Amino acid sequence: MEARILNNLGFVSWRLGLLPEALSYFVQAIDLARAVGDGALAGQATGNAGHIHYQLGNYDLALVHTRTHLDHALESGHRGAEGDARSQLGLIHLALGDHDAALAEHTAALRLFTEIGWLQKRAESLNDFGGALARHGDHSGALEHHRAALAIATELDATHERLRAVAASPLPRPPRQRPTLAGTMVGDAKLAAERADVRITSGEVTLAGTLWLPGGSGPHPGVVMVGGSGPADRDNDTLFPPIMDRLTGAGFAVLSYDKRGVGESSGSWLASTLDDFAADASRAVDVLREQAPVHSVGLFGHSEGGWVVLRAASWRDDLAFVITNAGPGTTPAEQDRYAIWTVLRADGVDDLAVESCLALYDQLVAAGRWGAGYGEAAALLDVSPATDVLGRYGFELDEPTWEFLKRKQDHDPVPDLHVLRCPHLAVFGGADPLVPVVDSVAIFAEAACRPDRAAGYELTVRVFPGADHRVQIGGYFAAGYLDALTGWITSTAGG
């Protein structure tokens, strides 16, 4: 953490023009990052130090640092960082008088920026190299580079104007309707089962939850319900109560809880990982067994909770089932990209604006993979008018959120699918705008078809045509959804 803070301080000092101070912070960040084995951060701080050395005229040191930065970029596969390093090497070689090496690195950088769609960086690289050529007396080369940079800038300005127009236009979508029970509003859900507050100790945090018990002495089948992304409480907004009402009415014991840092739970969900959430879900299974007369227990995870319950189930061999409700089979980064594309297209945002928003998102994901600090992410947002478009849809980024998203973005559920030892029900709304349903079903099916599947595993997929991310149509659960849940659990875990 200290190394990352030092790197951020260096970045801020750099932007303020305090070059010696910035260099000092970056060098300290390099040493600390190497000491704790954070190669990504060490590579990033090394690249930053290379930039500062170049601006200070220390070209030999700039060359050493920037070559190290390039090695880190190549090792990690971060093409944006590779382009940045090669662009800087072009300037350094030119300053050292090696024109052939300078042109080779500069050309490679331009090609990379074009391939990944980072036109703004391509324009900056052309402009910087043109300025360096002019300082070395090559005025004709400088003119050619500045003209090319101007052409890209003109294109970007036109794009920015269109993005600003989109950002200023009213949202065409109607307000989101409140979740409802099929044919019944949420407020009418009975929840007449016996209710008890519970506390779940998970590592250093204590989670607050509610246990619902059906009538009768039991034993009952049990279900632990895990909420979706963000500050999800034990009701997951208003989604869970009508589902819990149907489950308890069918004879199931149900436990749900507030996520870390939400409601009465301690800790912070933003300071956590998906593995932390999975550990919480696993402890909730233990508490349900300890405090309720149950003969079997399974997990139900909605949206992000799908990744969580798959991870928790992969650790255990005593679960009766796992249910992913609108749970993606892709990584979070892939799922969020799909959501941006789908929502913008559905709202009639033009293709150019959509592409610009996706390009910004891709740059943020790439920066996260490289270990970029919040300052660098904020800088990407500051210079892109696409930020205003995404802001209309609730996209906001602060430092805790950025660090959380970096930890989460490349979580892959496939390894968990490969080792599941219990039946898996995957439920989707066919018109879910947030989850790539077709891709997710294919991923689940491919994992199910492995010849080395563990005994006890089977896959059931239910797709409800026309239903959304909450498996609802027009504010009501899709017809047959609640019956499908209770019927599958009953047949799988017993009544």
Side-chain angles (χ1 to χ4, degrees):
M1 177 62 73
E2 185 178 353
R4 193 166 301 282
I5 292 172
L6 286 166
N7 188 59
N8 288 342
L9 285 170
F11 191 78
V12 172
S13 299
W14 183 9
R15 296 188 72 185
L16 291 172
L18 306 174
L19 299 187
E21 291 86 346
L23 182 59
S24 175
Y25 284 130
F26 288 140
V27 170
Q28 294 178 69
I30 293 168
D31 292 339
L32 280 175
R34 287 174 176 168
V36 299
D38 191 340
L41 181 57
Q44 178 194 354
T46 300
N48 292 338
H51 279 280
I52 301 299
H53 276 303
Y54 173 79
Q55 292 180 357
L56 291 172
N58 305 325
Y59 300 130
D60 289 332
L61 288 173
L63 184 62
V64 171
H65 280 81
T66 307
R67 280 177 172 167
T68 303
H69 176 44
L70 177 60
D71 290 340
H72 280 285
L74 291 171
E75 182 179 350
S76 68
H78 187 333
R79 304 185 74 203
E82 179 189 350
D84 181 66
R86 292 194 184 281
S87 180
Q88 188 64 21
L89 283 173
L91 296 174
I92 296 168
H93 283 305
L94 195 60
L96 292 171
D98 191 343
H99 288 248
D100 290 340
L103 186 59
E105 294 291 3
H106 174 62
T107 302
L110 295 181
R111 183 178 63 252
L112 281 165
F113 292 142
T114 300
E115 289 175 355
I116 64 177
W118 202 349
L119 295 183
Q120 178 175 324
K121 195 66 177 178
R122 178 181 170 88
E124 291 175 359
S125 183
L126 284 164
N127 187 61
D128 291 344
F129 200 76
L133 288 173
R135 289 191 296 274
H136 287 78
D138 185 357
H139 299 294
S140 125
L143 182 60
E144 178 183 350
H145 277 72
H146 286 315
R147 281 175 173 169
L150 179 61
I152 296 174
T154 302
E155 178 185 346
L156 288 172
D157 283 344
T159 300
H160 292 174
E161 287 302 320
R162 296 180 70 180
L163 285 168
R164 292 186 185 100
V166 170
S169 63
L171 278 170
R173 289 188 301 167
R176 194 182 78 181
Q177 293 175 300
R178 289 173 58 82
T180 57
L181 187 64
T184 309
M185 296 303 295
V186 163
D188 295 332
K190 297 182 291 299
L191 286 176
E194 180 183 346
R195 176 183 183 277
D197 291 332
V198 296
R199 292 294 182 269
I200 304 163
T201 301
S202 180
E204 297 181 352
V205 304
T206 300
L207 307 173
T210 301
L211 171 62
W212 299 94
L213 291 174
S217 58
H220 314 285
V223 183
V224 171
M225 301 188 72
V226 179
S229 61
D233 63 9
R234 69 192 74 182
D235 290 338
N236 199 85
D237 185 17
T238 56
L239 178 66
F240 282 178
I243 300 175
M244 291 188 290
D245 186 51
R246 178 62 66 92
L247 292 175
T248 54
F252 305 135
V254 182
L255 172 63
S256 63
Y257 54 90
D258 299 331
K259 187 182 280 188
R260 295 178 176 219
V262 179
E264 301 175 37
S265 293
S266 66
S268 166
W269 65 271
L270 280 172
S272 304
T273 66
L274 289 182
D275 276 3
D276 292 330
F277 299 153
D280 297 344
S282 185
R283 282 292 299 130
V285 169
D286 298 333
V287 170
L288 177 56
R289 284 204 170 103
E290 293 165 1
Q291 300 196 18
V294 293
H295 59 70
S296 59
V297 177
L299 288 164
F300 173 104
H302 173 68
S303 192
E304 176 192 87
W307 290 310
V308 173
V309 297
L310 288 175
R311 175 57 54 90
S314 75
W315 294 339
R316 307 182 66 123
D317 58 7
D318 60 346
L319 293 177
F321 59 86
V322 61
I323 299 173
T324 54
N325 191 73
T330 63
T331 66
E334 293 167 327
Q335 179 262 314
D336 280 341
R337 193 181 198 280
Y338 174 86
I340 292 170
W341 179 81
T342 304
V343 171
L344 294 180
R345 291 292 299 271
D347 278 356
V349 176
D350 68 71
D351 290 345
L352 183 58
V354 172
E355 290 173 6
S356 296
C357 289
L358 292 177
L360 172 60
Y361 177 75
D362 291 342
Q363 290 170 23
L364 289 169
V365 170
R369 287 177 181 147
W370 181 243
Y374 172 66
E376 286 143 300
L380 287 172
L381 294 172
D382 287 346
V383 300
S384 176
T387 303
D388 295 333
V389 177
L390 293 176
R392 300 168 65 226
Y393 297 87
F395 179 83
E396 296 179 356
L397 194 67
D398 55 21
E399 186 163 7
T401 304
W402 170 247
E403 295 300 327
F404 174 74
L405 293 176
K406 283 198 302 183
R407 294 191 298 271
K408 173 184 171 181
Q409 66 179 21
D410 288 321
H411 173 84
D412 186 0
V414 171
D416 297 332
L417 291 167
H418 288 171
V419 297
L420 281 185
R421 296 173 292 280
C422 64
H424 173 201
L425 172 64
V427 181
F428 298 98
D432 189 335
L434 305 183
V435 172
V437 174
V438 173
D439 291 343
S440 296
V441 171
I443 290 169
F444 290 159
E446 182 177 359
C449 292
R450 287 173 61 94
D452 57 346
R453 284 259 34 127
Y457 175 82
E458 64 179 39
L459 172 67
T460 302
V461 176
R462 291 294 304 268
V463 179
F464 291 86
D468 61 15
H469 187 57
R470 294 193 163 198
V471 201
Q472 297 170 351
I473 300 174
Y476 295 85
F477 283 124
Y481 166 70
L482 294 174
D483 289 337
L485 286 181
T486 55
W488 186 85
I489 297 174
T490 299
S491 64
T492 301

